[in-house]
Amino acid sequence: MPLYKTPAIILRSIPYSEADRIVTLYTLDFGKIKGIAKGAKRSRKRFGNTLEVCSYITLSFFEKETSELVRLNHCDLIRSFTGLREDIHKLAWASYFIELVDAMTAEKIKNKGLFKLLLIFLDLAEKGILKEEIQRVFEIRLLAHLGYQPLFDHCLRCKKSLSGEKVFFSAREGGVLCPVCAANLPRLIPVSVGTIKTLLLAQTILLEKVGRISFSAQSLKESKAILSLFIEQYLKKELKTKKFIEQFS
Ligand SMILES: [Zn+2]
């Protein structure tokens, strides 16, 4: 059994039997993995306080051909993100990012960009940058890393650039339609061109500057509606944190 080592972020951690824990991690080198930490409650030397949700760690693990779960061997803390667990608002934001990553990804598909994205946004949450805009930027960048990026720069059908005030978002087609192409089509959401420009900015803004981004009230409302609808198509399970975070938005 080879031993692997990788940076990882804890997505879920649940007690299992008397002494073990089942842990879901997003890793830099292997994508999402699920494993068992044998004797996690007793072995402070091997696991310490590394197995809390949001912890950023160095993980070493074995893979067993006979088991879907990897065997966690040893974890070292890189950053505990304690601040997230001490403030319910910060925790709501971080839990949403964590749960969205868990719900949108399959196991063992490496995605270094997604790992880095999650780390940057946990850091923003711990710093207390809890604007609703941050959730939307996270969603749109997550979609891009997973290859589901919606197209906002021109009409999906006639390819003309968007002008006027209103266009229409199609969740099924993954982008926007001009009023001519949208005529009489079902299940479209009207959206202002201003919101589309804001979402284009959210797709491209340098993440070091994301704390300063600001949407108009209309763009906040519209972008939430279209991204929620779009993401729902890809969710592998229902999000528990959505209602939780909405109490604080
Ligand atoms: Zn068109």
Side-chain angles (χ1 to χ4, degrees):
M1 282 193 300
L3 181 68
Y4 300 101
K5 202 171 178 185
T6 176
I9 298 164
I10 309 282
L11 301 180
R12 295 210 289 158
S13 180
I14 46 174
Y16 180 76
S17 73
E18 272 194 14
D20 309 339
R21 291 191 87 83
I22 303 278
V23 187
T24 307
L25 309 103
Y26 203 84
T27 71
L28 180 66
D29 299 306
F30 305 89
K32 184 166 80 177
I33 57 174
K34 221 173 183 184
I36 184 158
K38 287 262 182 201
K41 281 185 197 147
R42 269 178 272 119
S43 184
R44 295 205 62 80
K45 199 170 143 230
R46 279 162 59 222
F47 300 113
N49 56 351
T50 57
L51 300 180
E52 301 224 35
V53 173
C54 300
S55 291
Y56 175 31
I57 63 170
T58 302
L59 161 74
S60 63
F61 69 93
F62 295 105
E63 205 165 24
K64 282 172 95 176
E65 275 175 27
T66 51
S67 171
E68 280 182 25
L69 296 175
V70 305
R71 177 88 174 257
L72 274 57
N73 180 59
H74 188 99
C75 299
D76 287 309
L77 202 58
I78 299 173
R79 182 168 166 187
S80 69
F81 282 114
T82 316
L84 294 174
R85 292 182 286 270
E86 289 171 350
D87 178 318
I88 189 117
H89 290 80
K90 293 178 181 177
L91 186 65
W93 248 251
S95 304
Y96 179 65
F97 300 148
I98 290 270
E99 197 187 13
L100 200 53
V101 167
D102 192 14
M104 294 284 285
T105 55
E107 285 179 39
K108 294 181 184 165
I109 299 172
K110 178 164 119 175
N111 192 329
K112 289 193 173 187
L114 182 52
F115 178 88
K116 287 173 192 164
L117 184 80
L118 180 58
L119 202 53
I120 289 169
F121 278 76
L122 290 179
D123 179 58
L124 285 168
E126 196 183 40
K127 284 181 178 143
I129 302 171
L130 306 178
K131 304 196 298 188
E132 203 184 319
E133 286 90 337
I134 297 291
Q135 294 171 30
R136 302 292 86 79
V137 178
F138 182 75
E139 290 164 352
I140 209 155
R141 302 298 271 262
L142 177 80
L143 288 166
H145 281 296
L146 292 170
Y148 304 140
Q149 170 149 287
L151 290 178
F152 294 125
D153 44 6
H154 52 73
C155 171
L156 282 176
R157 294 203 176 182
C158 70
K159 315 290 179 210
K160 282 188 190 147
S161 57
L162 303 171
S163 55
E165 284 181 13
K166 280 264 175 237
V167 288
F168 296 85
F169 181 75
S170 166
R172 202 170 56 85
E173 294 184 46
V176 280
L177 300 174
C178 71
V180 177
C181 295
N184 302 321
L185 289 176
R187 292 190 296 276
L188 300 179
I189 304 179
V191 51
S192 67
V193 172
T195 295
I196 296 303
K197 286 185 178 152
T198 302
L199 289 171
L200 276 169
L201 174 70
Q203 282 179 335
T204 52
I205 190 172
L206 284 175
L207 291 178
E208 300 89 81
K209 295 185 180 167
V210 75
R212 282 181 260 156
I213 200 167
S214 176
F215 292 10
S216 69
Q218 186 183 18
S219 291
L220 275 178
K221 199 169 152 224
E222 290 181 343
S223 58
K224 184 176 181 179
I226 65 178
L227 286 170
S228 301
L229 189 71
F230 190 62
I231 285 171
E232 264 171 35
Q233 301 184 125
Y234 298 106
L235 283 180
K236 294 178 170 64
K237 58 186 165 190
E238 209 180 327
L239 293 182
K240 291 187 206 122
T241 50
K242 209 170 167 191
K243 284 217 169 76
F244 182 40
I245 197 169
E246 274 166 5
Q247 294 169 7
F248 301 110
S249 293

